[in-house]
């Protein structure tokens, strides 16, 4: 009797079952490989160096005059965060550099596990108890996604802020704590503020109020300590995107960056820019409405965060650590067997695990400037924006809601 050859879906199920049964070993192997990579090729965390060296200048003046000289196309790295962030980073200056790097790496990897757990908890039914193996496997795999690798290599704060925001929104806690977590994350770096859209969409008015109050309180504290630097930032530097870096670079994966490469540097002011923003807003609104109607908390949050990354003037590739919760939703959320979900998940895996953006960066850095951006680099350089739009379409096209409590009661503490 001959055994029938296993089909591709059958093999996938076998591999998935094996991985779930050995999730702990998979995570241990991933961590060991990461440690080996760090030992063989030690990272040069320039952003962490900026945090550590610039933050003491908050107290003496000159925080926003600090410059770390590097190499083109971004020859200097200034401190670009709100003054409250400098207060948070002050303890780094008291640590030896090696200790600070090791501690930052450890905390960032731990934050990745928090992100995987909280994302799984926001899935429908995940609030009861997310499968242990699912959390371990996504932590193991997430360690090799390009935005995560870039964050670890640069010593960026993205993983820590993403974990703080997700923990505040996913874990059962009071509205005050939920809002405070998100508000403090936004006070350190402005990008987490888009999480407020999640609170508004799920009608968590008290938590939204606490988020606003916490962000305002943290900003006021920094203002009281460093009024001159606070005035400089909030009345000038906060809108100066040129200070952050070249928006046209493939490092910038926002919609503005994609259009600047495709159409030229004037694209953000052109009708194409506003048309793109309008279309993305319509898709995001449809996705948000669909996710709220079916009580899909992770779908709501993913929609808000992806929309924020798309419409932000600059979204460096390391800002896209929200690709991990997005991939968790695509793999396990409602409609996960829909072809659009599978296409979006495959696209994210291809561009993040395949490290497309670093490949394009190396090619871009060899280009003569100023010169027209070559189409062969510009089109692949839309990768994260395309993946984000595909994900928003997947959220919008997911199954209709099932009977249950109304959207007004959506919150991790109650569902």
């Amino acid at each position: 009797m001959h055994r029938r050859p296993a089909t591709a879906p059958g093999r996938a199920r076998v591999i998935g079952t094996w991985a779930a049964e050995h999730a702990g070993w998979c995570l241990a192997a991933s961590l060991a490989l990461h440690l080996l990579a760090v030992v063989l090729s030690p990272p040069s965390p320039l952003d962490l160096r900026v945090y550590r060296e610039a933050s003491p200048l908050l107290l003496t003046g000159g925080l926003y005059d600090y410059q770390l000289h590097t190499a083109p196309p971004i020859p200097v790295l200034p401190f670009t965060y709100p003054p409250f962030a400098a207060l948070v980073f002050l303890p780094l200056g008291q640590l030896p550099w090696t200790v600070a790097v090791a501690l930052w790496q450890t905390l960032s990897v731990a934050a990745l596990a928090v992100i995987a757990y909280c994302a799984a908890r926001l899935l429908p039914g995940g609030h009861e108890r997310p499968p242990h193996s699912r959390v371990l496997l996504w932590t193991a795999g997430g360690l090799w996604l390009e935005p995560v690798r870039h964050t670890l290599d640069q010593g960026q704060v993205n993983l820590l802020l993403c974990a703080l925001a997700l923990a505040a929104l996913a874990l059962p806690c009071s509205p005050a704590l939920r809002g405070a977590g998100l508000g403090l994350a936004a006070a350190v770096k402005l990008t987490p503020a888009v999480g407020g859209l999640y609170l508004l969409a799920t009608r968590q008015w008290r938590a939204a109020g606490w988020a606003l109050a916490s962000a305002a309180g943290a900003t006021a504290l920094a203002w009281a300590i460093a009024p001159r630097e606070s005035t400089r930032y909030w009345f000038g530097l906060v809108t100066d995107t040129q200070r952050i870096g070249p928006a046209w670079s493939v490092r910038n994966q926002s919609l503005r960056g994609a259009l600047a490469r495709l159409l030229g540097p004037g694209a953000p002011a052109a009708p194409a820019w506003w048309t793109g923003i309008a279309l993305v807003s319509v898709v995001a609104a449809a996705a948000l409405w669909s996710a709220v109607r079916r009580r899909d908390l992770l779908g709501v949050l993913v929609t808000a965060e992806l929309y924020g990354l798309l419409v932000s003037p600059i979204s460096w590739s390391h800002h896209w650590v929200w690709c991990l919760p997005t991939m968790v939703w695509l793999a396990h959320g409602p409609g996960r067997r829909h072809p659009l979900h599978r296409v979006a998940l495959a696209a994210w895996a291809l561009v993040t695990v395949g490290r497309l953006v670093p490949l394009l960066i190396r090619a871009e850095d060899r280009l003569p400037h100023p010169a027209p951006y070559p189409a062969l680099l510009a089109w692949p350089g839309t990768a994260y924006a395309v993946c984000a739009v595909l994900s928003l379409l997947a959220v919008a096209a997911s199954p209709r809601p099932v009977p249950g409590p109304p959207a007004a009661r959506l919150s991790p503490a109650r569902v």
Side-chain angles (χ1 to χ4, degrees), residues 11 120 220 256 258 265 372 381 383:
R11 287 193 295 270
R256 176 179 178 179

PDB file of all heavy atoms in Angstrom, residues 11 120 220 256 258 265 372 381 383:
ATOM      1  N   ARG A  11       1.866  19.615   4.300  1.00  0.00           N
ATOM      2  CA  ARG A  11       3.228  19.793   4.828  1.00  0.00           C
ATOM      3  C   ARG A  11       3.306  21.008   5.733  1.00  0.00           C
ATOM      4  O   ARG A  11       4.000  20.995   6.755  1.00  0.00           O
ATOM      5  CB  ARG A  11       4.219  19.928   3.666  1.00  0.00           C
ATOM      6  CG  ARG A  11       4.487  18.639   2.920  1.00  0.00           C
ATOM      7  CD  ARG A  11       5.703  18.771   2.001  1.00  0.00           C
ATOM      8  NE  ARG A  11       5.458  19.728   0.943  1.00  0.00           N
ATOM      9  CZ  ARG A  11       4.940  19.450  -0.239  1.00  0.00           C
ATOM     10  NH1 ARG A  11       4.584  18.201  -0.501  1.00  0.00           N
ATOM     11  NH2 ARG A  11       4.780  20.383  -1.159  1.00  0.00           N
ATOM     12  N   ALA A 120      -1.115  38.945  20.490  1.00  0.00           N
ATOM     13  CA  ALA A 120      -1.914  37.719  20.551  1.00  0.00           C
ATOM     14  C   ALA A 120      -3.109  37.897  21.484  1.00  0.00           C
ATOM     15  O   ALA A 120      -4.189  37.344  21.240  1.00  0.00           O
ATOM     16  CB  ALA A 120      -1.042  36.556  21.024  1.00  0.00           C
ATOM     17  N   ALA A 220       4.813  69.201  30.253  1.00  0.00           N
ATOM     18  CA  ALA A 220       4.908  70.321  31.194  1.00  0.00           C
ATOM     19  C   ALA A 220       6.068  70.143  32.164  1.00  0.00           C
ATOM     20  O   ALA A 220       6.765  71.112  32.517  1.00  0.00           O
ATOM     21  CB  ALA A 220       3.595  70.461  31.964  1.00  0.00           C
ATOM     22  N   ARG A 256       4.808  59.663   1.681  1.00  0.00           N
ATOM     23  CA  ARG A 256       5.530  60.827   1.170  1.00  0.00           C
ATOM     24  C   ARG A 256       6.877  60.434   0.593  1.00  0.00           C
ATOM     25  O   ARG A 256       7.278  60.902  -0.476  1.00  0.00           O
ATOM     26  CB  ARG A 256       5.713  61.852   2.288  1.00  0.00           C
ATOM     27  CG  ARG A 256       6.540  63.055   1.873  1.00  0.00           C
ATOM     28  CD  ARG A 256       6.676  64.053   2.999  1.00  0.00           C
ATOM     29  NE  ARG A 256       7.515  65.190   2.614  1.00  0.00           N
ATOM     30  CZ  ARG A 256       7.775  66.209   3.389  1.00  0.00           C
ATOM     31  NH1 ARG A 256       7.260  66.262   4.605  1.00  0.00           N
ATOM     32  NH2 ARG A 256       8.539  67.200   2.979  1.00  0.00           N
ATOM     33  N   ALA A 258       7.731  57.473  -0.617  1.00  0.00           N
ATOM     34  CA  ALA A 258       7.521  56.700  -1.836  1.00  0.00           C
ATOM     35  C   ALA A 258       7.230  57.619  -3.020  1.00  0.00           C
ATOM     36  O   ALA A 258       7.790  57.450  -4.114  1.00  0.00           O
ATOM     37  CB  ALA A 258       6.382  55.704  -1.632  1.00  0.00           C
ATOM     38  N   PRO A 265      11.271  65.227  -5.890  1.00  0.00           N
ATOM     39  CA  PRO A 265      11.190  65.865  -4.568  1.00  0.00           C
ATOM     40  C   PRO A 265       9.976  66.753  -4.375  1.00  0.00           C
ATOM     41  O   PRO A 265       9.550  66.993  -3.251  1.00  0.00           O
ATOM     42  CB  PRO A 265      12.486  66.683  -4.505  1.00  0.00           C
ATOM     43  CG  PRO A 265      13.407  66.025  -5.479  1.00  0.00           C
ATOM     44  CD  PRO A 265      12.531  65.505  -6.578  1.00  0.00           C
ATOM     45  N   PRO A 372      18.019  62.354 -10.955  1.00  0.00           N
ATOM     46  CA  PRO A 372      16.698  61.711 -10.902  1.00  0.00           C
ATOM     47  C   PRO A 372      16.805  60.329 -10.251  1.00  0.00           C
ATOM     48  O   PRO A 372      17.771  59.597 -10.484  1.00  0.00           O
ATOM     49  CB  PRO A 372      16.296  61.614 -12.378  1.00  0.00           C
ATOM     50  CG  PRO A 372      17.106  62.657 -13.070  1.00  0.00           C
ATOM     51  CD  PRO A 372      18.399  62.747 -12.323  1.00  0.00           C
ATOM     52  N   GLY A 381      11.159  50.431  -3.734  1.00  0.00           N
ATOM     53  CA  GLY A 381      11.219  51.249  -2.526  1.00  0.00           C
ATOM     54  C   GLY A 381       9.870  51.612  -1.947  1.00  0.00           C
ATOM     55  O   GLY A 381       9.795  52.241  -0.894  1.00  0.00           O
ATOM     56  N   ALA A 383       7.892  49.307  -0.926  1.00  0.00           N
ATOM     57  CA  ALA A 383       7.521  48.009  -0.355  1.00  0.00           C
ATOM     58  C   ALA A 383       6.660  48.112   0.895  1.00  0.00           C
ATOM     59  O   ALA A 383       5.591  47.491   0.988  1.00  0.00           O
ATOM     60  CB  ALA A 383       8.785  47.202  -0.056  1.00  0.00           C
TER      61      ALA A 383
END
